Amino acid sequence: MSDIKSNLCEAFFSIMNHTLNEEILIEDLCEKSGIQIEEAQKILPLSQKDYSSFFLKILIKKLDQKTIEELQKEFNNDKISSVYDKILEGIILRLEIYTPYKLSLKTLSIGLDIKTKNFFNLLSSNQNFMLQLLNLAEGNKNECKNIIKSLALNIVYFKTMDVFLKEEKSNLEKTIRILDNNLREIQDIGDVFGIIKK
């Protein structure tokens, strides 16, 4: 079942990347993925309007898992980098892994209703990712403190995503510069409140 869901998700974003249209029919999804309509109907929401939200959750979960796995390998052998550097690196890696889907994410952020709906769908995913990133970067399992810190990082992340989606270049130069500036502002506050350790 998870393979079918994953294949339909890949098909959805592949079609959207080419058409820049989120109104994708089940017939097109099945043709692209090679999955029978009867099988797809067991998994998909009843309304086609809910496809984008449904597949966005699946995609973000998959990409975030990939990001965290890569960071675990990298941070396990890193005894030199500061917490700040690890958090910066973690968010940059997340954006790099999102880059192949940038056109689709941009399409899903157009329109106030869609943008608001997707924002709330992503909020819990972002919270979870930031908590995992903090645990990896700090090795601190204090859930209460990390929830406060992750909220601060989420503010930085959403500001950065806005720049990421608008930036035409694929090298993320401007996005990374703004991310670094915003993180430094949070770090300055963190020196007082302990949001991000140096």
Side-chain angles (χ1 to χ4, degrees):
M1 192 72 79
S2 60
D3 286 343
I4 294 174
K5 196 180 285 187
S6 180
N7 290 340
L8 286 169
C9 182
E10 282 298 320
F12 180 84
F13 284 102
S14 176
I15 294 168
M16 190 188 292
N17 264 349
H18 286 93
T19 63
L20 301 182
N21 181 3
E22 66 171 311
E23 294 180 12
I24 298 169
L25 301 174
I26 189 172
E27 290 82 4
D28 296 329
L29 283 174
C30 291
E31 183 180 345
K32 183 76 176 175
S33 64
I35 292 167
Q36 297 293 321
I37 288 181
E38 294 76 19
E39 290 298 311
Q41 285 173 331
K42 294 175 185 176
I43 295 170
L44 293 173
L46 292 177
S47 173
Q48 180 194 330
K49 291 180 180 179
D50 295 327
Y51 286 4
S52 59
S53 177
F54 176 77
F55 286 122
L56 185 61
K57 286 181 184 176
I58 296 169
L59 178 71
I60 296 302
K61 184 176 180 181
K62 175 186 170 184
L63 298 183
D64 283 354
Q65 184 178 348
K66 180 180 178 182
T67 306
I68 292 297
E69 286 172 1
E70 288 190 27
L71 290 173
Q72 279 176 324
K73 292 176 188 174
E74 196 167 327
F75 291 172
N76 278 343
N77 302 316
D78 185 352
K79 308 299 180 188
I80 300 169
S81 298
S82 67
V83 170
Y84 179 89
D85 290 336
K86 288 179 178 179
I87 289 172
L88 178 64
E89 185 179 343
I91 296 174
I92 290 171
L93 179 60
R94 191 185 196 205
L95 292 171
E96 287 173 348
I97 287 175
Y98 281 19
T99 298
Y101 300 91
K102 187 174 179 178
L103 287 175
S104 294
L105 294 173
K106 191 172 183 177
T107 301
L108 290 173
S109 72
I110 296 169
L112 182 60
D113 291 342
I114 296 169
K115 190 171 184 179
T116 303
K117 185 176 181 181
N118 289 332
F119 172 85
F120 284 111
N121 282 332
L122 289 176
L123 195 57
S124 60
S125 298
N126 287 328
Q127 186 76 2
N128 184 51
F129 176 83
M130 293 305 171
L131 283 169
Q132 290 184 74
L133 177 57
L134 282 163
N135 286 337
L136 287 175
E138 292 186 349
N140 180 6
K141 303 296 182 182
N142 187 321
E143 197 70 21
C144 292
K145 281 187 179 179
N146 281 353
I147 287 171
I148 294 168
K149 293 176 185 179
S150 67
L151 289 171
L153 290 178
N154 264 323
I155 292 167
V156 169
Y157 181 74
F158 278 114
K159 285 183 181 177
T160 305
M161 271 299 284
D162 195 46
V163 177
F164 170 73
L165 293 175
K166 289 176 182 173
E167 187 172 13
E168 297 299 328
K169 294 179 182 178
S170 57
N171 63 7
L172 301 181
E173 186 179 326
K174 183 180 177 184
T175 303
I176 291 171
R177 188 173 67 251
I178 289 174
L179 168 61
D180 193 22
N181 289 339
N182 290 335
L183 267 181
R184 288 194 186 282
E185 287 178 11
I186 290 292
Q187 185 185 41
D188 290 341
I189 299 169
D191 289 342
V192 179
F193 296 103
I195 294 174
I196 298 176
K197 295 190 295 187
K198 290 184 178 179

